[in-house]
Amino acid sequence: MNIVILAGVVLSLATGIPVMLQIARNHPRGLFVLFFAEMWERFSYYGMRGLLVFYLTQQYLFDDSFAATTYGSYATLVYLVPLVGGVVADRWLGGRKAVAFGALLLVAGHLTMAVEGAPARQVLTYHGTHYAFATQGRGGSRQAQILVAGHPYEFGQDAAGGFTIKGLPTAAPLPPVLPKGSFTLSVENRQQGFIDIFYLALALIVMGVGFLKANISAIVGKLYGERDPRRDPGFTLYYFGINLGAFWAAVLCGYLGESFGWSWGFGAAGLGMLAGFLTFQLGKPWLEGKAEPPDPVKLARRIGGVISLEWLIYLAGIAGVGVVWVVVQHNSAVGYALAAGWIVALSYVGYVLYTKFGPVERQRVMLAFVFMVGAIVFFTLFEQAATSLNLFAERNTALQLVSSPHVWRLFGHEIFLGDTAMWQAAQAPAGTLWIDMSFDAAQTQSFNAGFILLLAPIFAALWTRLGRRGRDPDPMIKFGLGLAQVGLGFMVIVWSAGLADQGARLPLMVLAFAYLLHTTGEMCLSPVGLSEMTKLAPAMLISTLMALWMMAISAAEFIGALIARFAGSATAGGKVLDPHASLAASLKVFETIGWAGIIFGGLFLAAAPFLRRWSHGANDLAPEPLAVPAE
């Protein structure tokens, strides 16, 4: 039994049962449908997200830079394409049909991710002779050795960049140190057909999220009347489902992917999305006719007497998969698409503001753009979780919760607490229950969602209590606190460098504390930003500013991937050559972005008294939202 899974069960029951009871007693039955559908969608998304960089660097032996930019291209499009899906649903398809179509694309995408070819092979060439690497394992348990004269040897890298081979006999055909420039590392058996299938999977997921993400939350709102007091609590419970799905994605998909194989982790994500699709379809009667097409007759009308508008939209969505398949392979093309989106959106907002509105509305929208800048900075740092922080967990974090084995006796049974190596060395008698007291690298992604499940009720109560006393902080102050905390999270890692062991690994609790600060920062900033977009925008620009908020996150994903490239390290056989150099590279990047977050947080705090007037009363006596969605 894995301790992370065991703790996850306890946490889910302790926090989930009260949520289920609240939905059953006080909310429309349709909330159950949307709760579980979105929970499984987030399970599939975060399950794949936690394994992606490991899959690229270990299965296909791409370098860290390529893995980071590939993830960046994918994540950028994930937050960009939903803008189109929202328009299509609002004008023609309706939210329910759009969500169902998006879910089917997601099922196809995640199950396609489970199709993996043979792993690529690393080869070292020295003076015209080739030496292969033997590899096994995934994630933090990855092992790689170089084969010399049929015998495996450990390898590494010296300070000058030379390739070192440990324990090599004097009669070996290779010297124990190969100076930098005297050898080459190449990759063989990287099957292009399976790489193309991988990109197809990403394209299907991007398009699926495009149809689903922008619309399922909108359906939640349609379950309640405008003045229904259950509306905000309903969204709070719905967001709990989002984070529950994200939590179990990291816990379960990470464990399956690293322990049994990539296909197990990606396949679990696909089956989770299939469960979400079935939940949504079977629960259709509970949606009470909400989110149906705005004009069913027009949607069913045949275009040119050949095909209905509805099926034309579906075919266009499938054709869009082909477009995304091409674009996602070229990071520069994704950047141009993102820039074009911003230019069009900003031009439209500028035109509307200066032709239809006065100075009050203009200043409010300018304040909204200040918050967007804060969001770009925050999520650029926060989303390092999927790239540089994920690789840091694998290479430079001691993932064991105990340093030595422990044996408990409970109800006449022995319980062994220790990691895999301790269990194998112990040779415990039959009938002993083993609890694996270690994390897989991908499971560290569960910290953020797990902390939200624990802390969201506390923050909700805090904001409510401060609001009743008239002391609820200004949104600019909350943004400043959020930015400072995400920066401090990275500085905790930097300041803990002295705790590294001989293998250049920091204690797991350091990484956990960093994620705790990132989570509290998220709870200060993310829900406030969403709320501010709706409060500061003129009525005709609310949807546009919400779209720009999503584009801010999309921009952060793109920039964050570029930054993550600088934290990369040299690898061979999917294993880092020099853990100490890897730690130094990560700490250098973490220190830079950590101070950036703190500085921007200070600027927001300093500017709060001056920019508060730009809201022109929009924030007066306005209740803050009570929950944080996993983005």
Side-chain angles (χ1 to χ4, degrees):
M1 171 65 72
N2 181 263
I3 186 62
V4 186
I5 296 176
L6 185 61
V9 171
V10 175
L11 176 62
S12 299
L13 291 175
T15 58
I17 291 176
V19 168
M20 295 296 102
L21 291 175
Q22 286 189 58
I23 295 176
R25 291 171 179 170
N26 304 315
H27 293 271
R29 292 185 300 175
L31 187 59
F32 271 119
V33 177
L34 301 174
F35 177 100
F36 285 107
E38 179 66 349
M39 182 192 76
W40 284 116
E41 187 276 328
R42 290 290 87 183
F43 176 88
S44 65
Y45 174 76
Y46 279 91
M48 189 274 279
R49 174 184 183 262
L51 292 170
L52 187 58
V53 293
F54 299 139
Y55 182 65
L56 290 172
T57 57
Q58 295 182 3
Q59 175 73 7
Y60 293 118
L61 302 182
F62 288 111
D63 61 26
D64 292 357
S65 178
F66 180 90
T69 53
T70 299
Y71 172 79
S73 297
Y74 158 71
T76 300
L77 292 171
V78 159
Y79 284 95
L80 197 59
V81 174
L83 308 181
V84 179
V87 172
V88 170
D90 287 343
R91 296 196 61 180
W92 301 295
L93 204 55
R96 185 187 62 80
K97 289 180 179 289
V99 169
F101 179 58
L104 281 176
L105 292 176
L106 283 165
V107 171
H110 287 292
L111 292 180
T112 303
M113 280 292 298
V115 178
E116 62 177 80
R121 293 192 300 266
Q122 190 89 58
V123 175
L124 181 144
T125 302
Y126 181 73
H127 290 176
T129 304
H130 306 298
Y131 301 88
F133 289 76
T135 62
Q136 62 178 351
R138 291 159 294 275
S141 61
R142 177 78 167 184
Q143 295 181 5
Q145 297 172 309
I146 187 169
L147 298 175
V148 181
H151 298 285
Y153 297 94
E154 300 292 332
F155 59 85
Q157 186 180 53
D158 62 17
F163 188 88
T164 62
I165 305 175
K166 302 173 184 178
L168 200 65
T170 54
L174 282 173
V177 178
L178 281 61
K180 183 179 181 180
S182 67
F183 64 93
T184 59
L185 288 170
S186 58
V187 176
E188 295 181 349
N189 199 44
R190 189 184 285 159
Q191 300 167 310
Q192 187 59 45
F194 285 98
I195 301 296
D196 292 338
I197 290 173
F198 163 75
Y199 283 121
L200 174 61
L202 293 187
L204 285 165
I205 294 169
V206 167
M207 192 59 64
V209 173
F211 275 89
L212 185 145
K213 187 174 180 65
N215 297 303
I216 192 167
S217 296
I219 301 176
V220 176
K222 292 179 180 180
L223 295 177
Y224 303 92
E226 285 189 20
R227 300 184 182 277
D228 192 330
R230 302 175 300 168
R231 186 185 185 91
D232 284 349
F235 270 99
T236 299
L237 301 173
Y238 169 73
Y239 287 144
F240 177 92
I242 290 176
N243 288 288
L244 186 63
F247 174 77
W248 275 104
V251 170
L252 195 56
C253 294
Y255 173 75
L256 292 173
E258 292 195 30
S259 300
F260 298 98
W262 307 117
S263 292
W264 285 78
F266 293 133
L271 293 176
M273 191 60 246
L274 179 60
F277 170 75
L278 294 175
T279 299
F280 188 76
Q281 290 296 92
L282 294 174
K284 175 184 174 182
W286 285 10
L287 298 180
E288 302 173 356
K290 304 293 194 301
E292 292 301 314
D295 190 342
V297 175
K298 181 178 180 181
L299 189 65
R301 187 177 302 151
R302 293 188 174 275
I303 306 299
V306 178
I307 187 173
S308 69
L309 176 59
E310 179 177 355
W311 276 98
L312 185 63
I313 291 172
Y314 295 149
L315 291 176
I318 294 172
V321 171
V323 175
V324 175
W325 181 82
V326 174
V327 173
V328 77
Q329 300 182 52
H330 303 283
N331 188 255
S332 58
V334 174
Y336 290 135
L338 180 64
W342 274 100
I343 291 171
V344 171
L346 291 176
S347 299
Y348 171 72
V349 171
Y351 171 78
V352 171
L353 280 180
Y354 285 92
T355 57
K356 299 183 180 298
F357 297 105
V360 170
E361 289 81 3
R362 293 172 191 169
Q363 285 196 337
R364 283 180 172 176
V365 173
M366 288 171 61
L367 181 58
F369 280 116
V370 171
F371 288 130
M372 289 180 205
V373 171
I376 291 174
V377 175
F378 179 86
F379 286 106
T380 294
L381 275 61
F382 184 84
E383 285 297 311
Q384 294 298 310
T387 50
S388 63
L389 278 173
N390 217 7
L391 291 174
F392 181 83
E394 174 211 340
R395 299 166 180 175
N396 295 114
T397 302
L399 297 172
Q400 298 78 21
L401 289 172
V402 294
S403 57
S404 60
H406 300 274
V407 178
W408 287 357
R409 192 166 187 84
L410 186 65
F411 303 120
H413 295 279
E414 287 192 349
I415 302 175
F416 184 92
L417 307 178
D419 62 16
T420 303
M422 297 173 189
W423 170 251
Q424 292 173 345
Q427 297 182 343
T432 302
L433 175 64
W434 172 42
I435 299 181
D436 184 1
M437 300 295 290
S438 63
F439 276 66
D440 292 318
Q443 286 183 323
T444 60
Q445 297 285 296
S446 66
F447 284 133
N448 173 239
F451 284 138
I452 288 178
L453 296 180
L454 286 170
L455 298 177
I458 298 174
F459 269 73
L462 174 64
W463 299 143
T464 302
R465 186 171 183 179
L466 290 174
R468 288 171 180 169
R469 297 184 177 185
R471 295 182 179 179
D472 192 21
D474 182 81
M476 283 288 292
I477 293 176
K478 290 182 180 179
F479 259 66
L481 293 174
L483 286 163
Q485 286 174 89
V486 75
L488 279 172
F490 285 104
M491 296 309 298
V492 162
I493 298 175
V494 174
W495 293 333
S496 301
L499 300 176
D501 61 17
Q502 293 183 346
R505 297 175 303 174
L506 293 178
L508 179 62
M509 291 302 103
V510 171
L511 186 62
F513 189 50
Y515 274 120
L516 174 61
L517 286 169
H518 287 191
T519 303
T520 54
E522 181 189 8
M523 287 192 282
C524 287
L525 181 144
S526 182
V528 175
L530 291 168
S531 180
E532 287 300 294
M533 294 306 106
T534 63
K535 289 190 288 187
L536 295 172
M540 69 177 298
L541 287 177
I542 288 179
S543 296
T544 302
L545 287 193
M546 288 299 291
L548 281 167
W549 176 263
M550 297 297 293
M551 288 177 65
I553 300 176
S554 181
E557 296 282 7
F558 187 83
I559 299 168
L562 298 181
I563 291 174
R565 296 175 60 184
F566 293 101
S569 300
T571 60
K575 182 180 177 182
V576 68
L577 283 171
D578 185 351
H580 294 276
S582 173
L583 177 62
S586 294
L587 292 178
K588 184 177 180 180
V589 171
F590 293 168
E591 183 174 24
T592 301
I593 62 178
W595 281 119
I598 293 171
I599 291 170
F600 269 93
L603 290 175
F604 268 73
L605 292 173
F610 305 99
L611 295 184
R612 182 182 292 115
R613 68 192 70 171
W614 285 11
S615 70
H616 293 280
N619 292 312
D620 293 348
L621 301 177
E624 294 295 347
L626 301 180
V628 180
E631 292 296 345

